[in-house]
Amino acid sequence: MLTSRGSTLLLVLIGILAAAALLPPTYGTVWLPDRNAGMGLLAVTVGLWLLWEWIGFTIRSRIVLRGLKVERIVRDDHGPVESLWAGRSFDVEVSVHLPEGLALPYVVLADRVPFGVENIAGSERWQGTLEAGQTVQWSYRIRCQALGRVRFEGVSVQLSDLCGLFYHATFLGAAAGFRVLPPLTDIRGKTARLKRHNLLPPPGVHRHRQPGSGSELLDLRDYRPGDPPKTIAWKVSARRDRLISKEFESDVPVRCTLFLDTSNSVRVGPPGENTLARLVEIATNVAQANSGARDLTGLCLFDETKATPIRPARGSRHLAGLLNRLTDAAGLAASTGQASIETLLPLAYSFAREAYPEQLRPEVNRFPWWLPWLFPQPLYSRPRKRWVDYLEYGHRFYWLAFAACVLYCLYLLGTGQIQTAIFLFLASLVITLGYLVFVDYTFKGHRAARWRKRMAAILSVQYGLAPGGLALLMEDDREFSIYLQRFLADHHVPYSLPLYDDTGRYLFAAPEKIQILSRALLGAVGRGRDNELFVLLVDLLELPDQLGPLLRAVKAALARHHQVLVICPWPAGVEARGRRGEEERGRQDDTETTSRANTNRRSRRTTLDSPPPRALSQSHLRYTVLLHRLTTERFQRSFRRLQRAFARLGVPVICARDSEPARLVIDRMERLRPLGKLR
């Protein structure tokens, strides 16, 4: 494409050619035929040179750029890595190789830094001349902010000639995904910095009070035929004048199963910074602490549709598998069919223009300009109908009316009424075009239709939809919204979703997960053994009235002598305090608001005019404080109801706040590790 400099040069050449062709051979008393011919020859010469440069630039941009090969290596201080760690820095080395052939005069290469990754040193860009057969390399240092997954899309290429007349931008896809694992912790849940000893506690440091082959004496009983001689207590037998056998405790490890909630209720928010990331952080710390104590750790990931259990085990390979599963779960994004297409479509289209420019070229992904005018989206496929939709749907009827007017004008021409026919035709044409321009370009209907058609084609190719997938995405708003969210989530692009529907109902409550969790817990109880701990990391603040199936499953677990612990995530920015403290906080907020209002009032007295937006901001501040207070009270009330519901069964409910470190949760779990009961 032409730059501003190239467009200016082209306009100058056209002006010189026009002047050479239109100026008379004489200008006053001066004869100018040679000067006109020289101007024309100069313009033609520069035009041919510009055409030659355009042909060479087109070959480079369409053929040579496709041969570029990108290679990316992420390494730490010890060498290349396949997984990243949260809170640590890594070096990213990018190399681009140009095969033999034409050289690129001036190119700018930039590696696209993923979302959620911070560039702390170096530059992700390289610019200069790329010769044939040359390989360029550059590196920069990144730091991962939160656990989850990151995705490197590729390298953006900006090509230009040395004169700055032509410009071409494309994208070299080199997608690579990496897991961002949580920081390593020791047996107490603290971050492991130095290796102090090499000894691990033996398996079975937690004793279970039932007859076994341990080292601690449990009880004495009469000798039974078949008891091994080494279990006979000879001194006690001599005193009692009969054979007495010894019974020992059974040294068994504690089995801990983590039930992690991965439903949409905990996915709301940016990946790595939402409630799910907090639960995954707690689960990873607990799993690593159990691995340090040589205990068995199991995992069950559940959502609104299914549960995926992993049997308890121990070992480094099992722990690595758990960390990988938890890391993949932390990168999940929320989705709902009631999301607005007007919000998701511009975001997805702008990203597609950057990452998939080849799939948006007109010769590959063409949009007919007449498509939304002759074949608009049907009204029955629009869940939220507006009055503008009825105007857009009436396009075909206006075209039929225009065709009828044209036929009537032809009839008037046949009868000899030429002036009336011309006036009627021009009037109908102006009215129809004015209506179409007003509706399409004022309400951005034509642009939205163009973006939707091109994005529907990309989504159909990306996710392998059937030949009717394009028509499905063009007419079904719900399916198109779900696939847009899937496209953005797969490329780790953050997007916003509505939390409530038109009736004020919370969209992400997910009451179906109660049944899924209950069945998963009952299945774990059926497969479990004695001395087992079930940790429920689940969001129940929106479902305090639907806990019946879960409470029955917890009762079954307690009846089998298991222990149950509930960890409920607490929303960020909401204080988990008592009612009295909340009232004091509210009085402090009122005092601060009043003092701030008095200060603003005194400052307005010193000025000549008093702007009303300041008063509006004060009312908005009061409304925000009141809304925050009501939300806090609602969550505190729900949490107290959860505590009362589980307290009847003797099950503690822990509030997982952002300010509470994971090792406090681990300490509470250590106190809950049972020694078992006599059978």
Side-chain angles (χ1 to χ4, degrees):
M1 58 181 300
L2 285 173
T3 61
S4 58
R5 183 182 301 179
S7 302
T8 304
L9 179 60
L10 183 61
L11 291 177
V12 170
L13 292 179
I14 294 175
I16 293 175
L17 285 176
L22 298 179
L23 284 179
T26 58
Y27 184 75
T29 60
V30 182
W31 187 56
L32 300 174
D34 297 336
R35 185 171 300 179
N36 290 358
M39 292 171 57
L41 181 61
L42 175 63
V44 171
T45 303
V46 177
L48 291 177
W49 170 80
L50 186 64
L51 178 62
W52 175 257
E53 290 290 329
W54 176 78
I55 293 175
F57 184 82
T58 303
I59 293 175
R60 288 182 173 89
S61 61
R62 293 298 179 91
I63 300 177
V64 178
L65 284 183
R66 296 180 181 179
L68 291 177
K69 298 180 180 179
V70 181
E71 184 179 0
R72 182 188 299 104
I73 300 176
V74 181
R75 63 173 67 246
D76 58 1
D77 298 336
H78 303 284
V81 297
E82 297 182 357
S83 300
L84 309 180
W85 299 88
R88 292 178 54 184
S89 57
F90 299 88
D91 292 326
V92 180
E93 298 180 358
V94 186
S95 61
V96 177
H97 175 71
L98 178 63
E100 297 292 338
L102 296 177
L104 300 179
Y106 183 77
V107 63
V108 178
L109 304 173
D111 191 19
R112 190 178 183 277
V113 181
F115 291 98
V117 174
E118 179 185 3
N119 185 3
I120 59 176
S123 176
E124 65 274 8
R125 298 167 61 89
W126 181 90
Q127 56 184 353
T129 302
L130 192 57
E131 301 293 339
Q134 181 184 0
T135 301
V136 297
Q137 295 181 353
W138 71 95
S139 63
Y140 58 97
R141 197 168 184 84
I142 61 173
R143 177 185 290 122
C144 302
Q145 302 292 340
L147 72 162
R149 294 187 66 92
V150 296
R151 177 186 170 97
F152 291 87
E153 294 295 339
V155 176
S156 63
V157 182
Q158 300 176 8
L159 178 64
S160 176
D161 61 326
L162 295 179
C163 299
L165 301 177
F166 304 98
Y167 169 81
H168 178 72
T170 185
F171 194 83
L172 300 178
F178 293 86
R179 290 188 178 96
V180 182
L181 300 175
L184 292 177
T185 57
D186 59 4
I187 189 173
R188 300 300 300 169
K190 302 177 182 178
T191 303
R193 299 183 181 275
L194 297 177
K195 187 175 181 180
R196 301 184 180 275
H197 52 80
N198 243 349
L199 297 179
L200 286 175
V205 294
H206 312 287
R207 307 191 183 280
H208 188 56
R209 293 180 181 269
Q210 69 178 12
S213 59
S215 59
E216 294 293 330
L217 181 63
L218 175 65
D219 197 4
L220 296 174
R221 60 173 176 81
D222 293 337
Y223 176 81
R224 299 172 185 171
D227 289 344
K230 65 178 182 179
T231 61
I232 298 176
W234 297 104
K235 293 183 179 181
V236 180
S237 300
R239 288 196 299 265
R240 298 187 181 182
D241 197 16
R242 66 179 186 273
L243 292 179
I244 301 297
S245 296
K246 294 182 293 185
E247 286 187 346
F248 299 92
E249 289 183 355
S250 177
D251 295 340
V252 296
V254 172
R255 291 175 174 83
C256 177
T257 303
L258 304 173
F259 293 84
L260 181 63
D261 183 8
T262 61
S263 60
N264 286 323
S265 61
V266 296
R267 299 182 192 176
V268 178
E273 301 178 3
N274 48 15
T275 306
L276 179 58
R278 178 60 179 163
L279 294 180
V280 169
E281 180 183 356
I282 295 174
T284 54
N285 290 334
V286 172
Q288 295 181 61
N290 291 344
S291 177
R294 304 295 298 273
D295 290 335
L296 284 78
T297 306
L299 180 65
C300 180
L301 303 176
F302 67 94
D303 54 8
E304 305 94 336
T305 57
K306 63 178 181 179
T308 306
I310 301 176
R311 295 184 66 88
R314 60 167 168 249
S316 58
R317 181 177 298 181
H318 178 73
L319 178 61
L322 289 183
L323 294 182
N324 291 336
R325 287 291 189 95
L326 292 173
T327 303
D328 294 341
L332 297 176
S335 63
T336 176
Q338 300 190 16
S340 175
I341 298 179
E342 289 78 7
T343 305
L344 299 175
L345 183 57
L347 184 61
Y349 188 77
S350 61
F351 177 79
R353 289 185 59 184
E354 179 183 356
Y356 298 95
E358 296 297 328
Q359 297 185 14
L360 289 176
R361 290 188 292 116
E363 55 267 24
V364 176
N365 194 349
R366 189 174 63 89
F367 173 75
W369 60 270
W370 43 264
L371 183 63
W373 289 352
L374 295 182
F375 302 99
Q377 181 183 357
L379 288 178
Y380 64 83
S381 64
R382 303 186 183 188
R384 302 175 182 177
K385 299 180 179 61
R386 303 172 301 173
W387 63 274
V388 183
D389 298 336
Y390 293 95
L391 295 179
E392 293 179 355
Y393 188 72
H395 285 349
R396 62 182 67 185
F397 301 105
Y398 286 100
W399 283 112
L400 292 176
F402 178 72
C405 290
V406 171
L407 293 177
Y408 184 68
C409 292
L410 294 177
Y411 170 74
L412 293 178
L413 288 176
T415 58
Q417 303 179 15
I418 301 177
Q419 295 181 352
T420 304
I422 294 175
F423 175 77
L424 183 60
F425 174 76
L426 293 178
S428 61
L429 181 63
V430 169
I431 292 175
T432 303
L433 293 180
Y435 165 77
L436 294 176
V437 170
F438 173 75
V439 173
D440 288 333
Y441 291 95
T442 302
F443 298 98
K444 303 178 182 179
H446 195 275
R447 185 179 67 178
R450 183 176 76 253
W451 289 0
R452 179 164 184 171
K453 189 270 173 186
R454 305 182 78 179
M455 278 304 304
I458 293 178
L459 295 176
S460 300
V461 174
Q462 286 284 331
Y463 299 108
L465 301 181
L470 180 61
L472 173 67
L473 297 180
M474 286 294 295
E475 295 186 0
D476 196 337
D477 288 349
R478 181 181 178 86
E479 291 295 328
F480 185 63
S481 175
I482 291 177
Y483 274 99
L484 282 179
Q485 298 171 52
R486 182 180 175 183
F487 176 77
L488 294 174
D490 290 345
H491 294 83
H492 303 279
V493 180
Y495 56 93
S496 59
L497 292 175
L499 300 180
Y500 302 92
D501 58 2
D502 298 336
T503 61
R505 183 178 59 87
Y506 187 63
L507 295 176
F508 302 103
E512 299 85 2
K513 66 182 179 182
I514 298 294
Q515 298 287 345
I516 302 295
L517 176 58
S518 303
R519 289 196 293 266
L521 182 57
L522 291 176
V525 170
R527 296 187 302 267
R529 304 178 182 178
D530 293 331
N531 201 19
E532 189 159 353
L533 178 64
F534 299 115
V535 182
L536 308 182
L537 298 137
V538 56
D539 182 16
L540 300 174
L541 292 178
E542 298 290 342
L543 306 169
D545 299 327
Q546 304 177 15
L547 300 177
L550 182 58
L551 293 178
R552 289 191 291 269
V554 171
K555 288 180 181 179
L558 296 177
R560 295 292 300 271
H561 306 291
H562 298 297
Q563 294 288 334
V564 180
L565 175 63
V566 179
I567 299 178
C568 186
W570 192 255
V574 180
E575 298 179 0
R577 295 192 293 181
R579 185 177 302 174
R580 181 176 303 175
E582 195 65 21
E583 292 175 357
E584 293 176 359
R585 178 67 177 175
R587 285 195 293 269
Q588 292 178 3
D589 292 340
D590 292 339
T591 304
E592 293 176 0
T593 304
T594 306
S595 62
R596 195 179 295 110
N598 294 333
T599 304
N600 294 334
R601 192 180 298 110
R602 286 193 298 268
S603 62
R604 284 199 301 268
R605 289 176 183 175
T606 58
T607 57
L608 295 178
D609 45 77
S610 58
R614 185 67 59 85
L616 292 178
S617 64
Q618 293 298 325
S619 62
H620 179 71
L621 178 61
R622 290 179 179 273
Y623 174 76
T624 304
V625 171
L626 179 61
L627 182 62
H628 178 73
R629 189 184 308 165
L630 293 177
T631 304
T632 303
E633 291 179 357
R634 183 172 65 87
F635 280 116
Q636 289 178 354
R637 192 181 306 111
S638 299
F639 186 70
R640 287 195 296 268
R641 294 177 62 183
L642 287 177
Q643 284 183 324
R644 287 195 297 266
F646 285 97
R648 298 187 184 97
L649 306 178
V651 175
V653 180
I654 298 177
C655 175
R657 297 171 300 197
D658 293 337
S659 60
E660 186 175 12
R663 63 174 176 268
L664 294 182
V665 180
I666 297 174
D667 291 340
R668 297 185 185 185
M669 292 182 59
E670 289 291 338
R671 294 196 298 267
L672 288 174
R673 292 185 184 271
L675 293 178
K677 299 181 181 180
L678 288 174
R679 287 196 171 185

